[in-house]
Amino acid sequence: EAIEQKTTMKARVEPYDTDVARVLPLKAGESELSILTGATGTCVSYGLAEFGSKEWGPQPLRQVWRGMSLYLSLIVRADSGIKVAADVKGKRVPKVPGWPAGMLAIEGIMAFGNVGWDDVTAVPMSGYIGQLKGVIEGKVDVAFGATVTPTVKELQAGPHKASYVILPHADKAGWKRLNAVAPWMTPAVCKKAPGLAEGQTMEITGYPYSLWAYATVDPDIIYAVVKAMHEGFDIYKGMHRAMPGWNINCSVRGPSPVPYHDGAIRYFKEVGVWTAEMDQWQAEQLKSFEERAAKFKQ
């Protein structure tokens, strides 16, 4: 809506079921933009999970606009006694085939507490919702999920209630271990979640849903899209409860560890949301990408 009203361009939205399917049109040059989670975008840029094959490897994906935030952690029964990552040792943990980003997230959070797969009992589960339901049904002790997932509300409505594994931001060593496995996960402070008392906050992890493009897309197109999203914010901000998170001030705040597109940076600098610190961060991300791309080709 904003793009079509603020530019001469037409926008067509096409849904896809899997992460690879969402990225393939970008790689093939059939579309310019895709909405992906920070987890997927980082896996594409780092050549992780599904994108670690010879056909893929590190791809020149670029952030265009950092969107709404997701707050995530290992979710448990409130009466389980599991409070921090180290408490997962000896517990039943879901093992979900075909969900590499989720499995890396679980492994990373366990690593935060110096817990590995040899320290837990892996329980085969069917998928994202299946492993969350596994906590409700008592089949597993923990599951990875976002606080907004309806199944978490279902857990909170039951007799055991919902709780979360806390990831203290001051534990730098823990975060280093976590990010060595799942680099897309960043410290986040959650203020609202099923089972979290009114007025309380918790230190967990998060990543955004963002807008992405390949570096090869014309910078003028990306510039026009970003400008339209900024100037057309009032057009879409009320269309969904998540839309207020897609505002210009959040567009570069707490980004995924992947470079931004040149066209987006040009506009962000014009409106003053891109800082000198972000220039340094961008240079570091570009260097990091070149290093991992070169290593993949060896």
Side-chain angles (χ1 to χ4, degrees):
E1 297 280 349
I3 292 168
E4 292 195 350
Q5 290 186 39
K6 294 294 183 178
T7 74
T8 58
M9 297 186 291
K10 296 293 182 182
R12 185 176 75 250
V13 178
E14 297 182 351
Y16 294 94
D17 288 336
T18 67
D19 288 341
V20 171
R22 294 184 188 103
V23 180
L24 194 57
L26 302 185
K27 186 172 185 253
E30 296 172 357
S31 63
E32 290 81 19
L33 298 154
S34 184
I35 294 178
L36 308 168
T37 67
T40 299
T42 306
C43 283
V44 175
S45 180
Y46 281 58
L48 299 174
E50 302 103 321
F51 304 99
S53 65
K54 292 181 179 180
E55 294 76 18
W56 285 94
Q59 294 290 303
L61 194 66
R62 297 289 184 266
Q63 296 185 80
V64 172
W65 187 294
R66 186 211 189 277
M68 61 172 283
S69 296
L70 291 173
Y71 298 98
L72 311 104
S73 188
L74 293 182
I75 296 168
V76 302
R77 291 180 174 186
D79 57 6
S80 67
I82 301 171
K83 304 294 183 182
V84 296
D87 296 335
V88 179
K89 186 174 183 178
K91 301 300 191 291
R92 297 167 300 166
V93 177
K95 200 73 178 271
V96 182
W99 189 39
M103 296 314 302
L104 288 172
I106 291 174
E107 183 178 335
I109 293 175
M110 290 197 302
F112 189 101
N114 280 311
V115 178
W117 285 107
D118 291 340
D119 302 314
V120 301
T121 300
V123 180
M125 302 298 289
S126 60
Y128 175 66
I129 298 301
Q131 48 109 41
L132 285 169
K133 285 188 175 293
V135 173
I136 296 175
E137 297 165 358
K139 296 178 180 178
V140 291
D141 298 303
V142 304
F144 177 70
T147 58
V148 295
T149 305
T151 313
V152 181
K153 296 180 181 179
E154 185 181 341
L155 172 61
Q156 173 61 18
H160 301 285
K161 307 302 180 184
S163 189
Y164 309 85
V165 168
I166 302 303
L167 304 168
H169 297 179
D171 188 345
K172 303 302 182 184
W175 275 101
K176 185 176 181 179
R177 291 191 296 271
L178 190 160
N179 287 144
V181 179
W184 57 85
M185 297 172 73
T186 58
V189 176
C190 181
K191 299 178 181 179
K192 186 176 182 180
L196 185 65
E198 187 73 25
Q200 287 190 341
T201 63
M202 59 181 175
E203 294 184 345
I204 51 175
T205 185
Y207 52 73
Y209 264 109
S210 300
L211 198 61
W212 305 77
Y214 266 46
T216 50
V217 177
D218 186 341
D220 290 341
I221 292 177
I222 301 301
Y223 175 91
V225 167
V226 171
K227 182 178 181 180
M229 289 179 64
H230 179 207
E231 295 183 346
F233 180 66
D234 288 343
I235 296 171
Y236 64 82
K237 68 179 182 182
M239 290 184 174
H240 187 276
R241 63 180 183 179
M243 287 297 96
W246 290 77
N247 65 79
I248 191 68
N249 291 321
C250 292
S251 59
V252 298
R253 185 182 300 164
S256 302
V258 180
Y260 272 83
H261 197 284
D262 289 343
I265 293 174
R266 194 171 93 206
Y267 184 77
F268 292 146
K269 285 185 174 181
E270 285 184 9
V271 296
V273 297
W274 189 271
T275 63
E277 288 77 15
M278 285 299 296
D279 273 330
Q280 180 180 350
W281 177 89
Q282 175 77 359
E284 292 170 353
Q285 299 306 319
L286 288 170
K287 180 181 179 182
S288 178
F289 173 77
E290 294 300 329
E291 289 175 349
R292 59 182 176 262
K295 185 177 181 180
F296 187 83
K297 293 177 181 178
Q298 292 177 355

